[in-house]
């Protein structure tokens, strides 16, 4: 403990992670990387399908209605992919947010300031860029939130394709950033894109969420109870008028995130249950659902949403209309400037010292990579321009354009340091081997 008459040690920004946290980050990102590769493939398939001679069948599939009218569940397949399948995506994001708060970068208040401020600036600056570029457009106001979110799976897939090896500190920063702005995106969706709220359904959803929390704290692990309860929460949130993906985050945050929990203890019986439990419910659900989310839910959403028709005047409008240009500029310029500026200013004002292993140009390269927005950006596009199909098509084109430019610039910047990153990754792996040998 630091003596009271001595100043505390300066915070090391982007310092090497501890071994256990490195393993967690690597495990999470490994699945996201594979999912990102599938995401790219399915997005391309959707784009090709929408511009093929069979493009009418693409619209037919997207618009096919499935489900009962009860509780407004008569949804098109496109809506099922956005409302139901993406709920699994946000459930995993909610669990990862909980991990970050309990054991990750957000668990230490001093260390959390930098990624949180970077994420917030990475949302505010793109909004400002969008509003400046689209100023004067009659329908510009609806799409201001489109360029606010980073797609971590898509970004990691870009890295995997070019063979990049980011050090653990930069990977953790990218992951934490994506988790925080996913949460920000959910808040924006819930607040800004909810036209009418069914108070009764919302009250039922709140009661069910509390019930789910109590079940978790009572250590009841039965799937016959938890799965129907989770499904009921989704239905109630959907029926309330709030976007149903909010239910995913709520469930993820309510899942018990620690193996040992003092609540609802019951003497020796509870101690025995704790001894038998090697993973928390949140960890088990995350490792069970993450492959499903990354390998099925998000790719299906991609093929349903990425079908931008570029025939006729669409291609010309894509580079002349201010809406797609504002979205692309928000992603490429806004995200990179916001994230880097937030990190740099936070480090300066908190007098944090950059890790000796990294340079600010490394942070700038990762900041450019955060402009790769896809899943959540496409979702917000559909919410913002749902009543104007032509503008929705252009907005999606702007998302694809901004993501592509951001990815290309990030690849160029990161490849310049590829050999150095390989050395850092090798050093981290050697450290892990040494620790394992010492334990043996």
């Amino acid at each position: 403990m630091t003596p009271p008459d001595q100043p505390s040690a300066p915070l090391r920004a982007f310092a090497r992670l501890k071994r256990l946290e490195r393993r967690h980050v690597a495990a999470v990102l490994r699945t996201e990387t594979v999912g990102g590769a599938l995401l790219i493939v399915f997005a391309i398939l959707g784009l090709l399908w929408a511009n093929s001679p069979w493009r009418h069948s693409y619209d037919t599939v997207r618009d096919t209605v499935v489900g009962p009218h009860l509780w407004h569940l008569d949804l098109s397949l496109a809506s099922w992919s956005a409302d139901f399948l993406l709920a699994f995506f946000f459930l995993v994001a909610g669990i990862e947010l909980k991990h970050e708060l309990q054991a990750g970068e957000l668990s230490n208040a001093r260390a959390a300031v930098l990624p949180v401020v970077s994420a917030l600036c990475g949302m505010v600056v793109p909004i400002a860029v969008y509003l400046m570029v689209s100023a004067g457009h009659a329908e510009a106001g609806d799409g201001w939130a489109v360029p606010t979110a980073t797609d971590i799976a898509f970004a990691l897939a870009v890295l995997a394709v070019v063979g990049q090896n980011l050090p653990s500190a930069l990977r953790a920063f990218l992951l934490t950033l994506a988790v925080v702005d996913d949460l920000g995106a959910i808040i924006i969706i819930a607040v800004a894109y909810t036209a009418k709220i069914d108070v009764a359904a919302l009250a039922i959803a709140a009661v069910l969420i509390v019930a789910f929390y109590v079940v978790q704290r009572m250590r009841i692990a039965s799937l016959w109870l938890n799965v129907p309860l989770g499904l009921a929460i989704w239905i109630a949130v959907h029926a309330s008028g709030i976007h149903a993906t909010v239910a995913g985050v709520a469930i993820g945050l309510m899942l018990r995130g620690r193996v040992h929990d003092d609540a609802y203890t019951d003497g020796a019986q509870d101690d025995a249950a704790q001894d038998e439990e090697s993973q928390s419910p949140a960890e088990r659900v995350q490792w069970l659902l993450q492959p499903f989310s990354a390998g099925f839910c998000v790719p299906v959403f991609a093929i349903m949403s990425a079908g931008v028709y570029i025939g006729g005047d669409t291609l010309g409008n894509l580079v002349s209309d201010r809406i797609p240009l504002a979205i692309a500029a928000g992603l490429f310029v806004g995200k990179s400037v916001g994230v880097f500026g937030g990190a740099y200013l936070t480090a300066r004002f908190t007098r944090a010292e950059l890790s000796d292993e990294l340079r600010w140009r490394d942070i700038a390269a990762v900041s450019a990579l955060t402009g790769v927005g896809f899943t959540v950006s496409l979702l917000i596009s559909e919410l913002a321009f749902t009543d104007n199909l032509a503008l929705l098509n252009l907005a999606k084109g702007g998302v694809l354009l901004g993501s592509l430019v951001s990815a290309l610039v990030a690849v160029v910047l990161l490849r310049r340091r590829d050999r150095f990153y390989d050395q850092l990754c090798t050093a981290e792996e050697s450290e892990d081997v040494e620790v394992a040998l010492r334990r043996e």
Side-chain angles (χ1 to χ4, degrees), residues 170-182:
L170 291 181
R171 286 180 176 270
F173 174 69
L174 189 59
L175 176 61
T176 305
L177 195 80
V179 168
V180 173
D181 73 10
D182 278 347

Side-chain angles (χ1 to χ4, degrees), residues 217-349:
R217 300 287 283 181
M218 293 180 67
R219 310 175 69 84
I220 300 176
S222 172
L223 294 179
W224 295 104
L225 176 60
N226 284 280
V227 172
L229 191 52
L231 184 60
I233 291 172
W234 180 86
I235 292 174
V237 172
H238 171 74
S240 73
I242 296 175
H243 200 271
T245 50
V246 174
V249 173
I251 293 171
L253 290 174
M254 292 302 105
L255 280 165
R256 184 162 52 85
R258 298 185 187 277
V259 174
H260 299 289
D261 195 335
D262 294 332
Y264 292 95
T265 56
D266 187 21
Q269 183 179 358
D270 187 74
D271 291 337
Q274 289 182 359
D275 290 339
E276 293 175 3
E277 192 175 44
S278 59
Q279 282 186 313
S280 70
E283 290 175 310
R284 289 199 300 272
V285 171
Q286 181 176 17
W287 302 129
L288 178 66
L289 289 184
Q290 193 167 27
F292 175 65
S293 170
F296 178 76
C297 297
V298 174
V300 170
F301 171 77
I303 200 170
M304 288 289 181
S305 300
V308 178
Y309 178 61
I310 57 177
D313 297 330
T314 303
L315 191 59
N317 291 337
L318 192 61
V319 293
S320 61
D321 192 287
R322 277 177 291 172
I323 293 296
L325 288 178
I327 292 172
L331 285 170
F332 173 53
V333 179
K335 292 293 287 186
S336 57
V337 171
V339 170
F340 178 80
Y344 184 83
L345 292 176
T346 301
R348 286 295 176 265
F349 280 111

Side-chain angles (χ1 to χ4, degrees), residues 102-145:
Q102 290 182 338
E105 290 290 287
L106 302 180
S107 61
N108 183 308
R110 291 183 68 204
V113 172
L114 192 144
V116 169
V117 172
S118 296
L120 292 177
C121 291
M123 298 180 73
V124 172
V125 177
I127 293 173
V129 171
Y130 173 89
L131 293 176
M132 285 190 293
V133 176
S134 64
H137 197 290
E139 298 179 81
D142 293 335
W144 56 270

Side-chain angles (χ1 to χ4, degrees), residues 57-75:
S57 67
Y58 177 80
D59 294 329
T60 300
V61 170
R62 288 186 81 258
D63 297 337
T64 299
V65 176
V66 177
H69 180 69
L70 183 66
W71 297 317
H72 310 290
L73 294 178
D74 48 341
L75 305 174

Side-chain angles (χ1 to χ4, degrees), residues 391-409:
L391 204 53
L392 172 59
N393 211 37
L394 290 176
K396 290 182 176 181
V399 171
L400 297 178
L401 178 61
S403 299
L404 178 61
V405 174
S406 297
L408 292 176
V409 171

